Amino acid sequence: MHLRRTSAMSALEIREQDLKEMGSLIQSRVVLEVSTQVQSLLDSMDTTTLDIAVTGESGAGKSTFINALRGLHDGDPCAARTGVIETTASPTSYQHPHLPSVRLWDLPGIGTPCFQAETYLRQTGFERYDFFIIVASERFRESHVQLARAVKAMGKRFYFVRSKADQDLRASQRRRPTRFQEAQVLREMKEDCVRQLQRQGLDSPKVFLVSSFELHRFDFPLLQETLAEELEGHKRHVLLLSFPSVTAAAVQRKKDSLRKHIWKKALLACFVSALPGLPIHLNIPMLMNTLVSYRRNFGLDDASLGALALASSKPSRELKSQVCSTLGKDLSENAVHSILSQAALYGQVAARLVKNKLPLLDNLVAGGVSFVAAYYLLHTALDSFAQDAQRVLGKAYSFEDDVQGSLCYPPDPGFLFD
């Protein structure tokens, strides 16, 4: 019981950073004005675009890599076309299945005898892309370096991806079965790629070994981390949500990014309850939309679990069995209403603490309680979905499961009166 109450206390406590950001926003006592401001902040985040260019020589695996980033297999009806010959004659955009503002662009192949990097970039509309991923399956050549230099000269970032690392590992193991050491082979592969690029005159190239069929292996997690570090603001947030989470660290980064915006969602929901005569449950559809997006962001919806089961060769039911949180198993309006009502009933003390920090909320009496209830709901749901996602990954890829316990029940807020 003590652990349950400790969890509840952490969920019902409002983060100091959130209170500061709310305080800087709420300068008006007019609900409609503040509501419009909050909605504008959320809209700017939801409409932020991210355009990623993927280029390289024909047959390097560009399209398969794009499909992997979108959480799709090559046979999916919405997947980018793949083939052993060049299948892309002009820049082709592929929207992310859940985030339409994220587009991955499959660019025509490079490496033809008459290849000119500057001409290529003009023809493919270089200005629309946030960064470039340059893919090679065997070795990096002069055309790759020409393109990288031209991209840099135009003020854009680029990253080298050495694809099909899994295939090369298996080939190496067949050639020297008694002396095969995976770590050594991978180190040699990366060092060889760096040497090839440096020989062409490129200093300190960033090279990532990747398998599009096994994103959890090799350097894809490092690539994801590097991209997130070098993007800022909403674009960083959008990247974290759009890329598949294949490690516990990636799940944590995604959770941390989503957590920063909980207060906006909760504040907007509380304004509904602040209006005279409107009960708290009227904000449930708004909160349900947020919870559904959380579940999808962590890959816990049926479609995502099915895709992961296919990629990891694990039965879908085994992966679903790792989803044990209350809302993970039953994301329904009844379940949400129950948690909100409980939090509202016992959240009077926390609501007073919020209004002490933010005096301008004094005129939102019902809204103050509703804010704490919505904040509590989203905070706990985010934590529990993240734990579910880590358990699912552990089962899919046989990771060590270091998730102790789960939020499989709404914590008891009774600690407020102990």
Side-chain angles (χ1 to χ4, degrees):
M1 179 62 70
H2 173 70
L3 290 176
R4 290 180 62 183
R5 294 186 177 184
T6 299
S7 297
M9 182 177 295
S10 64
L12 276 165
E13 288 178 349
I14 312 300
R15 297 195 318 164
E16 189 66 30
Q17 181 62 32
D18 291 347
L19 289 170
K20 288 181 180 178
E21 291 183 12
M22 288 169 61
S24 65
L25 174 73
I26 302 176
Q27 303 296 328
S28 170
R29 290 180 178 270
V30 180
V31 171
L32 184 59
E33 289 182 5
V34 180
S35 176
T36 301
Q37 286 179 288
V38 175
Q39 186 63 62
S40 178
L41 287 175
L42 292 173
D43 288 344
S44 68
M45 180 175 63
D46 292 338
T47 57
T48 295
T49 60
L50 184 65
D51 290 278
I52 304 171
V54 181
T55 185
E57 293 182 347
S58 301
K62 297 185 282 100
S63 300
T64 297
F65 182 62
I66 286 174
N67 291 335
L69 294 182
R70 298 167 68 222
L72 305 176
H73 57 84
D74 287 349
D76 192 284
C78 298
R81 286 185 58 202
T82 60
V84 294
I85 60 174
E86 180 60 46
T87 57
T88 307
S90 60
T92 305
S93 68
Y94 295 93
Q95 286 185 331
H96 190 276
H98 308 310
L99 298 167
S101 64
V102 177
R103 293 179 292 266
L104 291 110
W105 292 80
D106 194 353
L107 303 190
I110 64 174
T112 59
C114 58
F115 174 75
Q116 294 293 326
E118 291 81 2
T119 303
Y120 176 87
L121 288 176
R122 284 196 301 272
Q123 291 175 343
T124 55
F126 78 93
E127 68 280 350
R128 69 163 66 102
Y129 310 119
D130 291 289
F131 57 85
F132 288 73
I133 294 178
I134 304 173
V135 182
S137 59
E138 293 179 357
R139 62 180 60 251
F140 290 100
R141 308 179 194 278
E142 182 180 358
S143 57
H144 298 105
V145 175
Q146 287 182 24
L147 181 59
R149 285 176 175 158
V151 168
K152 183 178 181 180
M154 294 176 176
K156 303 282 186 175
R157 290 193 176 99
F158 60 89
Y159 307 87
F160 292 107
V161 163
R162 169 65 159 79
S163 64
K164 306 181 183 180
D166 54 330
Q167 295 182 21
D168 290 325
L169 270 183
R170 287 194 295 270
S172 177
Q173 190 170 20
R174 285 195 297 270
R175 288 195 300 269
R176 46 181 182 183
T178 59
R179 296 183 294 110
F180 175 77
Q181 292 183 333
E182 179 174 307
Q184 179 181 345
V185 174
L186 291 173
R187 184 171 59 253
E188 291 172 354
M189 286 171 58
K190 178 173 282 192
E191 290 173 352
D192 181 56
C193 290
V194 171
R195 277 196 302 271
Q196 293 165 18
L197 293 168
Q198 289 177 334
R199 193 177 300 126
Q200 299 290 340
L202 200 64
D203 295 329
S204 305
K206 296 178 182 178
V207 178
F208 302 89
L209 306 182
V210 170
S211 164
S212 296
F213 299 105
E214 299 176 279
L215 288 182
H216 64 289
R217 300 181 66 192
F218 315 124
D219 289 338
F220 178 76
L222 179 59
L223 171 64
Q224 188 175 16
E225 181 181 351
T226 301
L227 294 175
E229 287 178 352
E230 297 187 358
L231 285 173
E232 297 178 352
H234 291 338
K235 286 188 182 290
R236 180 180 189 275
H237 177 72
V238 168
L239 176 96
L240 289 173
L241 296 192
S242 64
F243 272 30
S245 299
V246 294
T247 64
V251 171
Q252 183 64 44
R253 283 194 296 271
K254 186 172 290 188
K255 184 180 81 168
D256 291 343
S257 190
L258 286 166
R259 190 188 299 280
K260 294 176 182 177
H261 305 285
I262 283 181
W263 70 265
K264 302 183 187 82
K265 301 278 189 179
L267 194 59
L268 196 61
C270 92
F271 289 139
V272 175
S273 300
L275 298 176
L278 295 183
I280 189 172
H281 65 76
L282 285 187
N283 58 24
I284 287 182
M286 183 188 305
L287 293 170
M288 278 292 296
N289 289 337
T290 299
L291 293 172
V292 168
S293 71
Y294 283 177
R295 184 174 64 174
R296 193 168 53 229
N297 290 150
F298 285 111
L300 300 175
D301 58 298
D302 288 342
S304 298
L305 289 172
L308 181 59
L310 186 64
S312 62
S313 300
K314 295 288 176 67
S316 181
R317 65 179 181 277
E318 288 190 12
L319 302 186
K320 289 183 178 181
S321 71
Q322 301 304 304
V323 180
C324 70
S325 65
T326 298
L327 293 177
K329 293 187 294 185
D330 176 27
L331 185 50
S332 65
E333 290 196 3
N334 286 337
V336 171
H337 184 274
S338 174
I339 297 174
L340 278 176
S341 298
Q342 188 181 28
L345 179 64
Y346 295 109
Q348 303 285 344
V349 173
R352 287 197 295 272
L353 292 175
V354 172
K355 286 192 286 186
N356 287 337
K357 290 278 187 177
L358 298 172
L360 291 177
L361 278 180
D362 281 347
N363 64 321
L364 304 179
V365 178
V369 177
S370 178
F371 171 79
V372 172
Y375 189 96
Y376 165 79
L377 167 71
L378 298 178
H379 192 286
T380 9
L382 192 63
D383 282 342
S384 62
F385 286 157
Q387 289 186 358
D388 284 341
Q390 291 185 13
R391 279 189 292 269
V392 168
L393 287 176
K395 176 61 70 173
Y397 299 128
S398 301
F399 294 154
E400 288 294 325
D401 185 4
D402 58 356
V403 180
Q404 300 297 323
S406 66
L407 299 176
C408 295
Y409 45 76
D412 176 11
F415 73 89
L416 288 170
F417 301 101
D418 285 353

